């Protein structure tokens, strides 16, 4: 009975996976401040007020009406960006490998080569690597996918899409049983999990399949691929997806353009690669239109 009443009171738009962390932090802080003020009057009343306030934040997402607008206005953008769910976070292959895989021989982070400094994300030249493995070529005024690599890559994508969606390839990369790896949808985006540990998030299931197919193809083309860190692999794979011009899912044209995204607390510009036919998103990264640079 109580559980049913609580579920009815819950606002799913602002709780659970949709909960806004900055807004929650602001409301909890306001609840705490109000409780401290009430302590002078009556500690029991303060405790009751705090309990009711936290319950409302838990069930409804907000305590103070208009919280998103207040959060957007008064909290600095660097703070909001740290807790927001930007598309930029979905551009790496595995963002957060579980700690218990760090010593696994098949883990992307294990057995770094003696010259591992050469694979530092800050200094590694992902574009040069892709040229070395014949994945990219120069066009008239741009960098393009090599036709031979594109055919091999898309064949692997087709196999993955018709199979397990890439779960097996991710499990192979991590060196774990495929049964322990799963995917969950979040709108158009997809997240990968190792048991209950979050591994990473992609713009779409098609983007995830593209990364898993590219990882397998690059591993066959270069021994260096297995020696790269997770961060570096993410750079390479996201760079490849940014070069996609023909949608692997429907064959439509994929265009790279700038758009403004509005989240609960902030607006930000992104560079996105999207199929004009089926609207599948293959790449998205936060972009500072004023400075003309991607946001770290």
């Amino acid at each position: 009975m109580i559980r049913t009443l609580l579920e009815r009171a819950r606002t799913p738009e602002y709780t659970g996976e949709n909960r806004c962390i900055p807004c929650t932090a602001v409301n909890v802080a306001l609840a705490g401040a109000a409780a401290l003020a009430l302590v002078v009057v009556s500690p029991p009343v303060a405790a009751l007020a705090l309990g009711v306030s936290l319950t409302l934040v838990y069930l409804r997402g907000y305590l103070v009406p208009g919280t998103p607008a207040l959060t957007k206005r008064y909290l600095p953008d660097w703070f909001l960006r740290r807790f927001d769910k930007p598309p930029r976070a979905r551009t790496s292959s595995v963002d957060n490998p579980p700690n218990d895989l760090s010593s696994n021989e098949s883990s992307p982070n294990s057995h770094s080569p003696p010259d591992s400094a050469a694979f530092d994300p800050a200094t590694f030249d992902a574009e040069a690597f892709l040229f070395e493995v014949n994945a990219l070529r120069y066009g008239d005024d741009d960098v393009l996918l090599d036709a031979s690599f594109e055919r091999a890559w898309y064949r692997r994508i087709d196999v993955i899409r018709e199979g397990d969606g890439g779960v097996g390839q991710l499990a192979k990369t991590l060196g774990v049983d495929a049964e322990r790896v799963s995917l969950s949808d979040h709108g158009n985006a997809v997240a990968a999990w190792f048991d209950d540990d979050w591994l990473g998030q992609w713009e779409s299931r098609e983007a995830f399949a593209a990364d898993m197919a590219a990882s397998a193809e690059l591993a066959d083309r270069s021994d260096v691929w297995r020696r790269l860190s997770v961060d570096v692999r993410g750079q390479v794979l996201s760079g490849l997806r940014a070069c996609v011009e023909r949608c692997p899912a429907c064959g439509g044209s994929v265009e790279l353009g700038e758009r403004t995204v509005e989240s609960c607390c902030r607006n930000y510009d992104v560079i996105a690669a999207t199929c004009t036919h089926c609207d599948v998103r293959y790449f998205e990264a936060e972009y500072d239109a004023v400075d003309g640079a991607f946001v770290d």
Side-chain angles (χ1 to χ4, degrees), residues 238-271:
S238 61
L240 274 176
R241 282 188 278 110
C243 293
V244 169
E245 293 185 325
R246 178 176 60 86
C247 178
C250 73
S253 175
V254 176
E255 294 186 356
L256 193 66
E258 183 179 340
R259 60 189 291 264
T260 300
V261 175
E262 183 174 356
S263 68
C264 177
C265 299
R266 57 190 293 263
N267 297 332
Y268 49 91
D269 296 317
V270 299
I271 296 294

Side-chain angles (χ1 to χ4, degrees), residues 116-132:
S116 59
F119 302 133
D120 187 325
T123 60
F124 182 78
D125 193 333
E127 185 176 288
F129 170 78
L130 290 172
F131 273 104
E132 290 174 3

Side-chain angles (χ1 to χ4, degrees), residues 84-150:
D84 203 0
K85 301 172 184 177
R88 179 174 52 84
R90 301 194 289 267
T91 60
S92 62
S93 55
V94 181
D95 294 325
N96 187 34
N99 293 331
D100 60 348
L101 297 181
S102 60
S103 62
N104 190 300
E105 189 168 289
S106 298
S107 173
N109 280 335
S110 63
H111 297 286
S112 297
D115 57 339
S116 59
F119 302 133
D120 187 325
T123 60
F124 182 78
D125 193 333
E127 185 176 288
F129 170 78
L130 290 172
F131 273 104
E132 290 174 3
V133 297
N134 297 317
L136 296 180
R137 64 178 178 85
Y138 287 111
D140 294 334
D141 56 0
D142 202 358
V143 174
L144 306 172
L145 288 175
D146 178 82
S148 176
F149 177 84
E150 183 184 57

